[in-house]
Amino acid sequence: MDKYGLIGHPLGHSFSISYFNEKFQNENIDAEYLNFDIPSIDGLFEVLALNPELKGLNVTIPYKEKVLSFLDSISPEARAIGAVNVIRVDHKGSDVRLKGFNSDVIGFTKSIEPMLEKCHKKALILGTGGASKAVDFGLRSIGLETVFVSRYERPGTIQYGSVTAEVVKEYNVIVNCTPVGMFPRTDQCPQLPYEALDEHNILYDLLYNPDETLFMYKGRKQGATVKNGLEMLLLQAFASWEFWNGKE
């Protein structure tokens, strides 16, 4: 039986394990999907050694960037983004070869593109982790200017205190790539001037648990168009399957 799985830490609620095991059952695919909660990226070696049937992995926080140095090859897109969330495991005799891809950018871009109108030219990206890099790559690939927002002083970022009413009117697409507002801390949201939002704003949250985060709720109350990350996850999962079974 083939195996696929997810590496990250901590692994709580996982969309992938239920999605893929349901897919395997419905399509009579002789495979299973497992969660591998590894407290260090070095645990990847043990996962590979103990699971010789492994054909592919998804990668989640905090390893999307750390995993790069463990890979034998990386797709041009994933290399440009600087983050990998899909690994194809190829077995050549006793040799194991790992190739990294990024399906976040595909899932996100396909999900947000239908929402964009002519007035949407600039975007704020909340957070600076691996997912935010894919979001940045995706937005720029479809013609938007982007600015990263961070809690800390980092090169190429602005801080939340600098996000004024004028900023959210100019950068009217706002994408939350942070875990702020995720279950169980559903009473939290990124610090933004929500009262300045209107119908020209799009608030896209990569989170999907809860269905409507406080970030989305506050935007919707001001007339903004809002969306959670569930469709992105579905599209990302489709792309993962293609990468695992492709010949790239």
Side-chain angles (χ1 to χ4, degrees), residues 211-228:
D211 289 340
E212 184 177 71
T213 59
L214 187 56
F215 166 75
M216 293 167 60
Y217 171 80
K218 287 190 164 193
R220 183 171 59 79
K221 289 302 242 185
Q222 296 297 124
T225 303
V226 302
K227 193 170 192 174
N228 70 17

Side-chain angles (χ1 to χ4, degrees), residues 22-38:
E22 196 171 306
K23 173 186 174 69
F24 297 155
Q25 188 174 0
N26 291 343
E27 298 178 26
N28 293 316
I29 296 169
D30 188 25
E32 65 174 335
Y33 191 101
L34 304 164
N35 278 351
F36 300 106
D37 190 328
I38 53 175

Side-chain angles (χ1 to χ4, degrees), residues 230-244:
L230 188 59
E231 184 186 49
M232 174 183 166
L233 272 175
L234 280 167
L235 293 165
Q236 181 258 106
F238 296 156
S240 294
W241 186 247
E242 294 291 315
F243 286 141
W244 290 333

